[in-house]
Amino acid sequence: MSRAVLSFVAAALLVVHDGHVSTASTARERARAEITREIVEVGRAHLAREGAAALSLRAVARDLGMVSSAVYRYVPNRDALLTLLIIDAYNSVGAAVEGADAAQRRSDLPGRFLAIARSVRGWAIEHPHEYALIYGSPVPGYAAPEDTTGPATRVPMVLIGVLVDMVADGRAPQPRRLPRKVRASLAPMMQAVPDTVSEDLMLRGLSSWGTLLGTISLELFGHLHNVVEEDPALRAAFFDHQMTRVAVDLGLAPED
Amino acid sequence: MSRAVLSFVAAALLVVHDGHVSTASTARERARAEITREIVEVGRAHLAREGAAALSLRAVARDLGMVSSAVYRYVPNRDALLTLLIIDAYNSVGAAVEGADAAQRRSDLPGRFLAIARSVRGWAIEHPHEYALIYGSPVPGYAAPEDTTGPATRVPMVLIGVLVDMVADGRAPQPRRLPRKVRASLAPMMQAVPDTVSEDLMLRGLSSWGTLLGTISLELFGHLHNVVEEDPALRAAFFDHQMTRVAVDLGLAPED
DNA sequence: TGTACATCAGTGAACGCGCGTTCACTGATGTAC
DNA sequence: TGTACATCAGTGAACGCGCGTTCACTGATGTAC
């Protein structure tokens, strides 16, 4: 992706997130911000209805009553819009998860983990195409720019917060000895994490993250068909049970 | 999908799997079978190179030196070709996993689990688009017909085989008591499984299946970027370690 | 406050692309007698 | 073994579609003096 496009994304983010630009703005600038926001919103609706593959600038323009070339005043090309929507999706699930975690008592570690897991699943069920966009197959021919990495880490950061608090409370399990290569493999992650968190605990955390996404993906992508009853209440019971087990395996809750 | 298309799929499967039709065949029938197989092969190559979204009957026809309308003599439409390729992918990973499992000593349960896990991951890395096709986001506007369910169960069946042998060897963990709703949710699965396997063990198995696919998806879909070192040997060490832990949690191997 | 110029949003036409699918056809292969 | 007819594979043209992107343009909004 070109530098021009990247700097567009950076600028557009201000608009999309804050809903307004901070500097005193002329009528023209306010109109521009407003329409940029409308484009992202219509794009999100299309994404939600038909998935990323069907997203087209022409269709977005039609919905806004503009001629197709007019959107190019706001968005340099299709990929840039996709980038905005990816960031938007990460922020959407990130905000949901942060909220769910914050609503729990800080010391209730298994409760926090379960709330986080449920909130990822709930968001995924409500926004299946957005879930697929960020946690499913990559869109072919599209390479996510670095702008997406910040928002992408919001959910994992909440999970790491639980691990950090577990250590702080002295409730972390005794770290296991690890093979040299395994330790080496974690180098990038360990840089981004408080060093109270051990490599072993990080591995456990990554495993639970994988189980969380794997279980949701199995459900959303149809692999629980003929496996787990379709009834929503039973699906929820199944998921809760699995995640409760994960919390136990993580050491957040005692074996019952 | 119409009945005509479904019966086509059933017929084509004979051709694709066996490489020949069993009944004595005329030259014309042999030519037909041969070209059908070529179409699937070219389709697979396109899928491997550019993913499902880019798969087009016209491009396949071009590669075979045919005019685009000619492929309609062999394949009723694009979705039918996609169905064949999905079945093909399930059979490909299924065969790989069955082979990996069969190469282990029957009684080495953790060794078998690790071999299975590695073989899914190895296949996924070799065939990323095919992995995405079957375990990633569903193709929008495409509904998998029932023909795919048989091949889709090959890998899970191998995993279940390990659980069955664990029970037969008397090495299964004491089943936990489960909430009524959780037990009810498993009804479809329990019908398809020998009743020596308890519901609790089934839940553990599903969890490890989720962790396996989740961990592979995290890696393949780019979510280990800046988390786990990119070096293939380190990635492999990371994966092996995580799967070894899963085997322990499953009760296949003693806590070390 | 008024004028002259610069900036920008939005228009409409166009380019070039590739797709799925249909259809009337030609010519080769297979079958029945 | 030979002929008459039926079946089928493959052709080539066409329909209708939607897409991303560019470009010269008009007219409205903003700015400098």
Side-chain angles (χ1 to χ4, degrees):
Chain A
M1 199 168 289
S2 74
R3 291 203 29 220
V5 171
L6 288 180
S7 74
F8 152 74
V9 169
L13 287 179
L14 285 176
V15 172
V16 174
H17 290 160
D18 305 350
H20 61 86
V21 278
S22 37
T23 59
S25 55
T26 63
R28 207 181 242 171
E29 275 168 340
R30 270 178 282 120
R32 180 162 239 289
E34 172 58 23
I35 292 181
T36 303
R37 209 169 42 252
E38 279 176 16
I39 288 174
V40 172
E41 226 148 80
V42 170
R44 180 165 39 207
H46 284 212
L47 180 63
R49 236 179 300 121
E50 346 202 20
L55 181 73
S56 94
L57 287 187
R58 289 188 100 110
V60 168
R62 265 196 304 276
D63 264 31
L64 287 168
M66 296 170 117
V67 90
S68 70
S69 53
V71 291
Y72 283 86
R73 295 272 168 222
Y74 299 94
V75 172
N77 56 43
R78 199 196 100 115
D79 274 9
L81 180 56
L82 208 50
T83 299
L84 287 180
L85 292 171
I86 287 171
I87 291 169
D88 195 71
Y90 275 126
N91 280 319
S92 170
V93 66
V97 166
E98 286 163 9
D101 178 51
Q104 306 298 309
R105 209 166 17 90
R106 293 293 77 200
S107 61
D108 180 8
L109 300 179
R112 285 168 66 187
F113 181 81
L114 188 59
I116 291 166
R118 280 176 170 163
S119 123
V120 176
R121 175 171 177 268
W123 181 88
I125 289 174
E126 270 178 62
H127 308 88
H129 285 117
E130 276 152 290
Y131 177 84
L133 181 63
I134 59 180
Y135 294 122
S137 333
V139 177
Y142 171 85
E146 288 295 319
D147 302 74
T148 60
T149 56
T153 56
R154 286 177 69 170
V155 174
M157 279 303 168
V158 177
L159 280 171
I160 288 170
V162 176
L163 299 183
V164 169
D165 290 354
M166 176 166 59
V167 175
D169 289 8
R171 294 159 69 180
Q174 183 67 22
R176 286 182 278 250
R177 284 184 55 86
L178 299 171
R180 195 175 34 80
K181 275 193 181 174
V182 174
R183 299 188 56 190
S185 75
L186 290 179
M189 174 89 272
M190 296 312 289
Q191 275 195 310
V193 144
D195 39 308
T196 55
V197 177
S198 71
E199 283 160 330
D200 178 54
L201 189 54
M202 210 50 245
L203 286 167
R204 292 168 183 257
L206 280 169
S207 182
S208 61
W209 178 225
T211 310
L212 171 52
L213 288 185
T215 303
I216 293 172
S217 291
L218 281 180
E219 179 174 359
L220 244 72
F221 299 163
H223 295 283
L224 295 188
H225 185 62
N226 289 337
V227 175
V228 174
E229 214 72 70
E230 311 274 348
D231 177 272
L234 296 182
R235 283 270 163 107
F238 167 79
F239 180 81
D240 282 4
H241 179 266
Q242 296 292 68
M243 290 303 124
T244 303
R245 293 304 317 163
V246 171
V248 170
D249 289 347
L250 249 177
L252 294 174
E255 188 75 43
D256 55 6
Chain B
M1 199 169 287
S2 75
R3 290 202 31 219
V5 171
L6 288 180
S7 75
F8 151 75
V9 169
L13 287 179
L14 284 175
V15 172
V16 173
H17 290 159
D18 305 349
H20 60 85
V21 278
S22 38
T23 59
S25 55
T26 64
R28 206 180 242 171
E29 276 168 339
R30 270 177 284 120
R32 180 163 239 288
E34 172 59 23
I35 292 181
T36 303
R37 208 168 44 252
E38 278 176 15
I39 288 175
V40 172
E41 227 147 79
V42 170
R44 178 165 41 207
H46 283 213
L47 180 62
R49 236 179 301 123
E50 344 201 23
L55 181 72
S56 95
L57 287 187
R58 289 187 101 110
V60 168
R62 265 196 306 274
D63 264 29
L64 286 168
M66 296 170 116
V67 88
S68 70
S69 52
V71 290
Y72 283 86
R73 295 273 167 221
Y74 299 94
V75 172
N77 55 45
R78 199 195 99 116
D79 273 10
L81 180 55
L82 207 52
T83 299
L84 286 180
L85 292 171
I86 287 173
I87 290 168
D88 196 71
Y90 276 126
N91 279 318
S92 170
V93 66
V97 166
E98 286 163 9
D101 178 51
Q104 305 298 308
R105 210 165 18 88
R106 294 293 75 200
S107 62
D108 179 8
L109 300 179
R112 285 168 66 187
F113 182 82
L114 189 59
I116 291 166
R118 280 177 170 163
S119 124
V120 177
R121 175 171 177 267
W123 181 87
I125 289 174
E126 271 177 62
H127 308 88
H129 284 117
E130 275 152 291
Y131 178 85
L133 180 63
I134 59 182
Y135 294 122
S137 333
V139 177
Y142 171 85
E146 286 297 317
D147 301 73
T148 61
T149 55
T153 56
R154 285 177 70 170
V155 174
M157 279 303 167
V158 178
L159 281 172
I160 288 169
V162 176
L163 299 184
V164 168
D165 290 355
M166 177 166 57
V167 175
D169 289 8
R171 293 160 68 182
Q174 183 67 23
R176 285 182 278 252
R177 284 184 54 85
L178 299 170
R180 196 174 34 79
K181 275 194 181 172
V182 174
R183 300 188 57 190
S185 76
L186 291 178
M189 173 89 273
M190 296 313 288
Q191 275 196 311
V193 143
D195 39 309
T196 55
V197 177
S198 71
E199 284 159 330
D200 178 54
L201 189 54
M202 210 50 245
L203 285 167
R204 291 168 183 257
L206 281 169
S207 182
S208 60
W209 177 226
T211 310
L212 172 52
L213 288 185
T215 303
I216 294 173
S217 292
L218 281 179
E219 178 174 1
L220 244 72
F221 298 162
H223 295 283
L224 296 189
H225 185 61
N226 288 338
V227 175
V228 175
E229 214 72 71
E230 311 273 348
D231 177 272
L234 297 182
R235 284 269 163 108
F238 167 80
F239 180 80
D240 282 5
H241 179 267
Q242 296 293 67
M243 290 304 124
T244 304
R245 294 304 317 164
V246 171
V248 170
D249 288 346
L250 248 177
L252 294 173
E255 187 76 42
D256 54 6

